[in-house]
Amino acid sequence: MRRLFIILMVLFGSKNISAQIGIDTVSQYSGTFVPSVMLTDSSGNILVGGNGSDLPVMAKFNPDSGLSWAYSYAIAEGDEGQVFAMTVDSLGNIYSYIHSQFTNHWVQKFSSEGAPINIYDSLLGETFISIQPFGHIEVSADNYIQLFTEKSAGQEVVIYTFDTSLSTLIDSVTYQIQSAVSCCYEPVLSSPGELIFNGVENDVQGVYQIENNQIDHHPFIGHQFDDIDYSILPKWNNQYFVYSNNDVLTGENDTFSVYNPEFVVFDTNWVALKSNQPFYDTVNNGNSIVRPIIRDALLHPEYGIIICGEYYSGTSVNPVLAQFIAQLDPTSLKIINSFVQENNRFFTHLTQFEDQVYALDRPRGYPSGMNLLKLNLDKVVGLAEISTKSKGFQVNIYPNPTTGSIQIESETAIEK
């Protein structure tokens, strides 16, 4: 009992909720770059893909030394292209899903230095009209390259499987979706043999799950968002965290639309457990408004939920523009630390490597300039589930952290 008592004191004795998030600049990129995806490789390097001067562009940053390289890649003359998804293998080779506006979609392999190695062009002859500009690409557990995308205006989901040299299309499986209004927003949750992504079927919001070559729609139970654009974060503490910007009408006589972001926690059966709108001052019924827009979010095992985006405040005619990063407690879904800076820039993406989180920002519109930033965050004490083992006795305590009651489970009977 003494050991259990000490653990409880550590869990609930203190929590730092006051410090502002610190930001350090890792690197600045002066060229034109509209990023669409950012990730880290197994060594902690940061990879960014997107569009620059109408061409697909990729860049690699070292967290200590800054920009390693940045290249644009030629496509058909007069065409425009963009990197939509990326992944990296254990050797540092990069695989990108790229689409062009008028011709093809393709998967391309690059070395860790950005040199093109091989390309699989024109996926089964499909063009931009039929393959949607969305994709999730990954290295599978059996060391194949898998591309997950949608076709036919969201009525079909396709998983393509390639060998790592991209010389052969090994398999292509198509799944039909009935009455899908919208689906396939990042992030896509994947594990061996399973894919989970969001979607709306017959006006019912929920998620699609592909498992054992079957696709099923699981409707949300007990909650509906105000719009259909929502994203799913990785599962934590046996729960799913889903957020939406919730585009709502407000103002005098509902004359203009604002965003009111919301987080909802679901159990594994997609039943809503709790929700919160962390920006309590988002909607004011008048001309003076605050409009935060979440551009990206991640769930870190020590820092909780990190969100970033842009912030409009003041009047609808003359708003004050700012960029923001906020840290949310995953139990209360409330903001505990934040960073807000008034300027004409906004944060676009987040990524993490071990205990470090990085953010990307760029100017509004399409001028040149992109910054890679390192965040200095306070840990949320006791985020991980706690297990103790002593002489065959094991106890699990959750949720952690908590604002009230806790559950204590043990295979051994608990007397006190």
Side-chain angles (χ1 to χ4, degrees):
M1 289 298 293
R2 175 179 172 83
R3 187 171 185 177
L4 178 59
F5 175 76
I6 292 174
I7 291 173
L8 288 173
M9 289 295 290
V10 171
L11 284 176
F12 309 120
S14 65
K15 182 189 291 186
N16 187 339
I17 61 173
S18 58
Q20 176 174 296
I21 295 173
I23 293 183
D24 298 324
T25 300
V26 174
S27 186
Q28 295 179 317
Y29 179 79
S30 59
T32 301
F33 204 142
V34 180
S36 55
V37 58
M38 179 168 73
L39 55 84
T40 52
D41 64 18
S42 59
S43 299
N45 297 300
I46 299 100
L47 297 164
V48 183
N51 170 280
S53 301
D54 296 332
L55 295 175
V57 176
M58 291 197 308
K60 182 177 180 178
F61 298 88
N62 181 283
D64 297 319
S65 58
L67 181 66
S68 299
W69 51 260
Y71 301 116
S72 60
Y73 299 93
I75 56 177
E77 185 176 355
D79 206 350
E80 300 176 5
Q82 181 172 350
V83 176
F84 258 89
M86 294 193 304
T87 191
V88 62
D89 64 20
S90 59
L91 300 176
N93 296 309
I94 304 163
Y95 301 85
S96 293
Y97 173 48
I98 302 173
H99 90 94
S100 62
Q101 186 171 356
F102 304 116
T103 53
N104 303 336
H105 289 230
W106 64 92
V107 178
Q108 191 160 357
K109 181 178 181 179
F110 303 86
S111 73
S112 60
E113 300 304 315
I117 296 177
N118 203 3
I119 185 172
Y120 195 94
D121 196 2
S122 186
L123 299 175
L124 298 181
E126 301 286 359
T127 65
F128 178 80
I129 296 173
S130 58
I131 293 185
Q132 304 300 306
F134 167 86
H136 172 81
I137 189 170
E138 63 182 45
V139 182
S140 68
D142 45 7
N143 208 33
Y144 291 116
I145 306 303
Q146 288 191 315
L147 170 66
F148 165 58
T149 188
E150 58 177 321
K151 291 172 53 178
S152 304
Q155 298 297 307
E156 296 177 343
V157 172
V158 186
I159 299 177
Y160 298 96
T161 303
F162 308 87
D163 65 327
T164 54
S165 67
L166 298 188
S167 60
T168 305
L169 177 62
I170 297 173
D171 195 13
S172 173
V173 182
T174 300
Y175 301 91
Q176 299 294 323
I177 296 180
Q178 296 181 355
S179 304
V181 177
S182 177
C183 68
C184 298
Y185 288 94
E186 288 280 19
V188 173
L189 305 185
S190 64
S191 58
E194 180 185 46
L195 281 166
I196 296 177
F197 56 96
N198 68 352
V200 175
E201 187 166 302
N202 296 324
D203 295 325
V204 178
Q205 294 168 323
V207 299
Y208 286 97
Q209 181 177 17
I210 297 177
E211 189 174 20
N212 298 323
N213 293 322
Q214 297 291 325
I215 185 168
D216 294 300
H217 182 256
H218 302 286
F220 291 152
I221 300 173
H223 189 86
Q224 288 287 297
F225 294 105
D226 289 334
D227 62 10
I228 61 176
D229 297 338
Y230 53 93
S231 295
I232 313 162
L233 298 181
K235 186 167 64 174
W236 176 82
N237 206 21
N238 217 31
Q239 298 171 338
Y240 291 102
F241 292 77
V242 181
Y243 73 92
S244 169
N245 277 312
N246 276 348
D247 191 6
V248 297
L249 291 173
T250 187
E252 296 177 357
N253 300 318
D254 289 338
T255 53
F256 50 85
S257 177
V258 302
Y259 292 105
N260 190 15
E262 179 182 25
F263 276 83
V264 182
V265 180
F266 293 90
D267 65 16
T268 52
N269 294 316
W270 299 101
V271 176
L273 301 176
K274 58 186 173 183
S275 65
N276 186 49
Q277 296 171 341
F279 298 93
Y280 66 91
D281 57 350
T282 297
V283 179
N284 293 319
N285 199 19
N287 287 328
S288 181
I289 56 175
V290 178
R291 294 179 287 181
I293 303 173
I294 297 176
R295 293 299 185 187
D296 200 6
L298 60 80
L299 180 60
H300 191 278
E302 295 180 331
Y303 303 132
I305 299 171
I306 314 299
I307 61 176
C308 73
E310 55 194 303
Y311 209 90
Y312 294 71
S313 61
T315 66
S316 57
V317 177
N318 243 345
V320 176
L321 306 179
Q323 56 183 353
F324 77 86
I325 291 176
Q327 183 180 8
L328 277 64
D329 184 318
T331 299
S332 66
L333 300 178
K334 294 181 179 179
I335 295 175
I336 55 175
N337 293 320
S338 64
F339 171 90
V340 179
Q341 185 176 43
E342 292 184 8
N343 55 24
N344 200 36
R345 304 181 68 87
F346 67 101
F347 293 108
T348 65
H349 291 84
L350 297 166
T351 190
Q352 58 183 305
F353 180 74
E354 296 178 348
D355 63 348
Q356 188 58 62
V357 177
Y358 300 93
L360 202 65
D361 86 337
R362 70 173 183 87
R364 285 182 174 84
Y366 295 92
S368 301
M370 178 177 69
N371 296 325
L372 177 65
L373 308 161
K374 182 187 295 185
L375 307 186
N376 300 314
L377 300 160
D378 288 336
K379 294 181 180 179
V380 180
V381 177
L383 266 186
E385 284 190 19
I386 299 298
S387 295
T388 63
K389 292 184 179 180
S390 177
K391 296 182 180 180
F393 175 73
Q394 179 174 345
V395 60
N396 296 318
I397 307 169
Y398 64 91
N400 178 22
T402 181
T403 57
S405 62
I406 61 171
Q407 298 285 333
I408 301 176
E409 292 181 347
S410 172
E411 296 178 358
T412 306
I414 300 175
E415 296 180 2
K416 293 184 180 180

